[in-house]
Amino acid sequence: MGEFKVHRVRFFDYMPTAIRAMAFNAHTERLALARMDGSVEIFNFTDHYFQEKVIPGKDSRSIESLCWVGGRLFSAGLNGEIAEYDLENLRPKYSMEAYGGPIWTIISNTQGTQLAIGCEDGTVKLFEVLEEHIQFERNLDRQKVWSVAFLSDHTVVSGDSAGKVQVWDGHTGTLVKTHLVTKWDVLALSGIEQVDMSEGMYFFDTTTVYDESSVVAGTSEGTVIQFQFIAPTLQQDKEWVRTRTFKNHTHDVRALAEIETAIVSGGMDTHLVVRPLLEKFDEMSHASGLRKIHFPHRNLVSCAKKAGLLLFQFPGQLELWRLGDSDGHGKPGDRLPLKRKPEKLLLLKRKGEDHICCSALSSCGGWLAYSTVSCVRIYRLQTDNNNISITKVSKLPKVLRSAHQLCFSLDSSKMFAASSQSSVLVIALTQSESWSHSVTFPSPGSRQPIHLMTTSVDGKWLAAANSDCEIHVYNLQKLKLHCIVPVYGSCPSAMGIHPTTNNLTMVHADQQLFEYSIVEKQYTDWSRKLQKQGLHNVWLDRDTPVTHVTFNQKNPNQVVLHDMHMFCIIDQSLPLPDQKTQFYNQITLRSLSEQERPSHLHAFKICKTFQDLLCVSLLDDQSLVVVERPLLAITSQLPAPVRQKKFAT
């Protein structure tokens, strides 16, 4: 693998916010998830649960419920407004006041022609869904209800603050069955986005559920409980029976979705849990395993490789840090003494209510940029010993209203902004804190947002990937589209351009790996050999996507990449592992003699020394930067869960 001096960084205090609402689109198999900061995330359940889109939050936005109507997404919240989202430009399309106070829930009818919302004043309001907007129709009578689910046979399932899940006959209004599931609150029922049990009105959207013989409840103890409409014995009639209890959360379960093969849950502990229903699978496989999604499938850390600086992105601010330094030496595994501690150089707070959606730091550390849905800001940074000055670039191009992704060229002469309709804006920067000119590359294909961009070291190439799995390569010298990489059916999760060969390395959400020659406009021989032989099953069975690709400039054969649990150095000069090869073989190699070792070497070198990774990158001085965010550190900052009685207490 080689020997590296490692900067082990744990001072990025990334803190995800609680999951508040979910809605599953059975037709597109997309899960929409809302958090307490008002952000919305879209996961593609057909593509290894990849987080393909993120709509940034806003200070004044509170989302209590989400609803799909075809491919359109709506939300409602405590500000009393209904919003529809622009899923191409990743922003609210419009919002309108419902005039009923805070809104607790929003659902649609099965035809997708009407929306119903439940308001704090007890009213249920109906809105007509039109082609470009929605229109108020009428109010229904005021109601008092707890959380309820209406099934198509007029069965009503309710949950309440006394810990009961009750089944009612909707025709007669009589109680059929009571299940006491907790001493605390029942906060969510499957197919519904729930809130506090003190007030509000909830409906059950049968379009999001495949089988009405199952209902799932979430509690403030962190449990998820499944009820099924089955016959307890062969001699008995069918009834609602409590069949399973899952404990995958430490705090309130606030949102649930029941899909064909799994139960999806989220809440105050911030992570998304996909719990497969094993009876839906013929045999145990990767797809039948429990999956937890903790971190975003995108980069929140920018690394200035020349300057040794790190930029951390938060919703409301950016932090610029200078890495520490050590001149000590030791054997592998030693902790070296610091002669200079890491230092926070800058805290830059955003302007306005809109949260930061992307940011970038130039390799030299001289430029910084960020974007919200309403503006892009670029700053010139100048460092003099321990002093740092920051100057805002004024009068940016009018076409640069917002960006989904930002990056700088290696020589810091240009900034690239992924704009609307999958287009890319190129801005030439000058040392006088201004821009000289701009060029726009329109997209020849999809209008879906760009989520990845990378440039070549020689400044000639720019590659951009969008959520329709398209990758466009632009020639920056001729200022035109150079080629489109053959479209592969899984979304790219990370990519990088090799500093000497200009080959584009791409890793996808399904863990497949490709190398494409930009100059020759075709896959490389190494890539074709890899695809012919196939990747090792241990590699393919990993459950978190690769989010960063970089290269070892001292060894052109080495590609460095990482996911949440490991980083990997792929040495293209070594043989590929076949299915019989021991994949994680580092310990074995260390135990072998120099004569035996070559026969056990293979291209994939995995390091799991570091965990819960947000970034792994190589600096120009060949030191490795590893940014960790231990999950225990996140858990320790959560509010205390409901007190639970433990054995012998």
Side-chain angles (χ1 to χ4, degrees):
M1 180 179 282
E3 192 172 294
F4 299 94
K5 185 168 74 173
V6 178
H7 296 271
R8 192 170 190 176
V9 174
R10 287 193 171 187
F11 44 79
F12 180 20
D13 294 328
Y14 163 72
M15 190 66 196
T17 59
I19 296 172
R20 202 69 182 94
M22 287 182 198
F24 186 71
N25 189 323
H27 301 291
T28 64
E29 296 198 54
R30 269 28 177 215
L31 179 83
L33 176 154
R35 295 189 181 268
M36 287 192 74
D37 65 355
S39 61
V40 176
E41 303 165 12
I42 310 293
F43 292 85
N44 186 345
F45 272 36
T46 64
D47 193 10
H48 291 69
Y49 308 100
F50 185 63
Q51 185 192 60
E52 62 182 12
K53 296 178 182 179
V54 177
I55 300 170
K58 187 176 183 178
D59 287 349
S60 60
R61 187 185 305 146
S62 170
I63 299 175
E64 295 297 317
S65 185
L66 292 168
C67 174
W68 288 100
V69 179
R72 299 165 67 178
L73 181 64
F74 295 86
S75 75
L78 298 184
N79 60 1
E81 293 182 346
I82 306 169
E84 181 178 0
Y85 293 91
D86 183 340
L87 299 181
E88 289 183 355
N89 293 308
L90 303 183
R91 63 176 68 200
K93 191 175 182 180
Y94 63 84
S95 61
M96 62 183 297
E97 176 67 49
Y99 298 105
I103 303 172
W104 298 118
T105 189
I106 181 171
I107 63 147
S108 72
N109 61 356
T110 53
Q111 294 79 24
T113 58
Q114 286 181 315
L115 289 175
I117 64 167
C119 302
E120 189 176 69
D121 66 1
T123 60
V124 177
K125 299 176 183 291
L126 297 183
F127 289 79
E128 183 183 6
V129 179
L130 303 175
E131 188 172 346
E132 292 296 327
H133 62 282
I134 60 174
Q135 181 174 291
F136 175 75
E137 279 191 331
R138 65 183 184 275
N139 286 328
L140 302 183
D141 293 338
R142 293 178 185 269
Q143 304 286 336
K144 289 185 178 181
V145 297
W146 295 104
S147 57
V148 294
F150 289 94
L151 306 185
S152 58
D153 65 353
H154 289 270
T155 296
V156 178
V157 184
S158 67
D160 61 30
S161 59
K164 298 191 297 292
V165 173
Q166 296 179 306
V167 182
W168 305 77
D169 185 325
H171 291 292
T172 63
T174 56
L175 178 63
V176 176
K177 185 86 171 181
T178 296
H179 297 273
L180 182 62
V181 298
T182 176
K183 294 180 180 179
W184 311 99
D185 295 344
V186 176
L187 298 175
L189 291 175
S190 61
I192 326 166
E193 309 312 329
Q194 305 289 4
V195 293
D196 283 341
M197 296 300 99
S198 57
E199 50 197 332
M201 185 166 186
Y202 304 92
F203 299 85
F204 188 67
D205 181 5
T206 57
T207 62
T208 63
V209 178
Y210 290 89
D211 185 357
E212 286 190 345
S213 64
S214 174
V215 169
V216 181
T219 75
S220 58
E221 292 178 288
T223 54
V224 174
I225 301 159
Q226 185 181 25
F227 300 87
Q228 290 178 284
F229 191 60
I230 58 176
T233 67
L234 292 175
Q235 289 75 32
Q236 291 179 286
D237 294 332
K238 286 187 176 181
E239 60 179 275
W240 285 97
V241 178
R242 177 176 175 173
T243 54
R244 291 187 180 93
T245 299
F246 305 122
K247 185 71 167 94
N248 300 121
H249 296 276
T250 58
H251 291 64
D252 298 3
V253 176
R254 291 283 184 168
L256 285 168
E258 190 174 1
I259 64 176
E260 187 175 23
T261 59
I263 295 169
V264 189
S265 57
M268 290 296 294
D269 58 11
T270 77
H271 55 258
L272 178 67
V273 175
V274 182
R275 180 83 190 209
L277 299 171
L278 296 183
E279 71 271 16
K280 303 291 186 179
F281 297 88
D282 294 331
E283 59 184 20
M284 298 298 289
S285 65
H286 179 59
S288 64
L290 176 72
R291 185 180 296 252
K292 291 186 178 182
I293 300 174
H294 298 278
F295 290 163
H297 296 165
R298 58 194 175 106
N299 289 318
L300 298 176
V301 180
S302 297
C303 182
K305 297 183 179 182
K306 293 180 181 178
L309 301 176
L310 293 177
L311 182 70
F312 299 145
Q313 178 184 315
F314 298 88
Q317 64 193 38
L318 300 172
E319 289 182 4
L320 182 67
W321 286 76
R322 178 162 51 203
L323 291 166
D325 193 17
S326 172
D327 54 8
H329 298 280
K331 62 182 183 296
D334 284 353
R335 292 188 177 185
L336 303 180
L338 290 175
K339 69 176 182 181
R340 189 187 73 232
K341 292 184 177 181
E343 180 184 5
K344 185 193 291 186
L345 300 177
L346 180 68
L347 173 64
L348 180 63
K349 294 187 177 181
R350 59 167 164 80
K351 304 293 183 182
E353 289 192 329
D354 294 317
H355 294 182
I356 296 171
C357 58
C358 62
S359 57
L361 180 67
S362 66
S363 183
C364 66
W367 296 94
L368 179 156
Y370 77 85
S371 178
T372 67
V373 297
S374 56
C375 72
V376 175
R377 297 185 185 274
I378 308 174
Y379 297 88
R380 182 81 169 98
L381 302 177
Q382 293 178 304
T383 306
D384 180 18
N385 295 324
N386 292 327
N387 299 318
I388 186 167
S389 63
I390 180 169
T391 307
K392 179 184 171 185
V393 175
S394 58
K395 298 180 180 178
L396 292 173
K398 291 183 178 180
V399 293
L400 186 60
R401 297 186 181 92
S402 67
H404 304 134
Q405 284 293 310
L406 295 166
C407 71
F408 291 92
S409 60
L410 188 71
D411 63 3
S412 303
S413 65
K414 299 181 183 68
M415 189 188 81
F416 309 101
S419 189
S420 61
Q421 299 178 7
S422 204
S423 61
V424 178
L425 188 67
V426 183
I427 299 173
L429 301 168
T430 69
Q431 297 302 312
S432 59
E433 292 87 40
S434 64
W435 62 280
S436 57
H437 66 274
S438 63
V439 177
T440 301
F441 293 137
S443 170
S446 170
R447 296 164 56 95
Q448 291 298 314
I450 290 171
H451 66 288
L452 292 174
M453 286 197 300
T454 186
T455 62
S456 61
V457 169
D458 60 13
K460 186 175 182 180
W461 308 108
L462 170 73
N466 62 42
S467 54
D468 259 347
C469 305
E470 297 176 348
I471 300 176
H472 299 130
V473 181
Y474 299 96
N475 188 317
L476 297 175
Q477 294 177 344
K478 298 181 179 179
L479 296 176
K480 67 176 186 179
L481 178 70
H482 174 70
C483 66
I484 301 176
V485 178
V487 175
Y488 177 65
S490 178
C491 201
S493 63
M495 63 184 186
I497 299 176
H498 196 282
T500 56
T501 65
N502 276 339
N503 291 336
L504 176 66
T505 297
M506 303 156 286
V507 191
H508 295 257
D510 65 354
Q511 311 297 354
Q512 288 293 332
L513 178 68
F514 299 92
E515 186 182 56
Y516 186 81
S517 171
I518 293 177
V519 175
E520 298 178 4
K521 300 183 182 181
Q522 63 181 7
Y523 290 113
T524 65
D525 291 340
W526 183 85
S527 184
R528 295 178 190 276
K529 180 181 177 182
L530 178 67
Q531 289 301 312
K532 183 178 180 179
Q533 178 172 319
L535 285 156
H536 199 285
N537 284 339
V538 174
W539 175 268
L540 295 175
D541 285 346
R542 292 167 22 258
D543 63 0
T544 59
V546 170
T547 52
H548 191 247
V549 173
T550 189
F551 304 91
N552 186 350
Q553 295 198 36
K554 275 195 173 180
N555 188 338
N557 291 317
Q558 291 187 347
V559 182
V560 183
L561 41 80
H562 79 90
D563 63 15
M564 176 183 167
H565 301 296
M566 64 88 204
F567 77 85
C568 174
I569 295 179
I570 301 176
D571 192 328
Q572 295 178 324
S573 66
L574 294 176
L576 295 169
D578 58 28
Q579 299 301 335
K580 298 178 182 179
T581 302
Q582 182 186 4
F583 193 69
Y584 296 123
N585 65 347
Q586 298 299 297
I587 296 176
T588 302
L589 289 174
R590 284 195 289 269
S591 67
L592 297 175
S593 66
E594 293 292 335
Q595 292 75 25
E596 295 176 292
R597 193 171 296 175
S599 62
H600 290 79
L601 288 172
H602 64 75
F604 287 75
K605 307 300 180 185
I606 306 292
C607 176
K608 288 193 170 185
T609 304
F610 314 102
Q611 292 284 308
D612 307 333
L613 299 173
L614 286 169
C615 180
V616 175
S617 189
L618 267 173
L619 300 182
D620 280 3
D621 66 2
Q622 289 301 110
S623 61
L624 197 67
V625 176
V626 176
V627 181
E628 297 174 286
R629 181 55 170 159
L631 295 178
L632 285 176
I634 293 176
T635 304
S636 67
Q637 295 186 38
L638 296 173
V642 168
R643 183 181 180 276
Q644 298 180 30
K645 183 175 178 62
K646 296 183 180 179
F647 179 72
T649 63

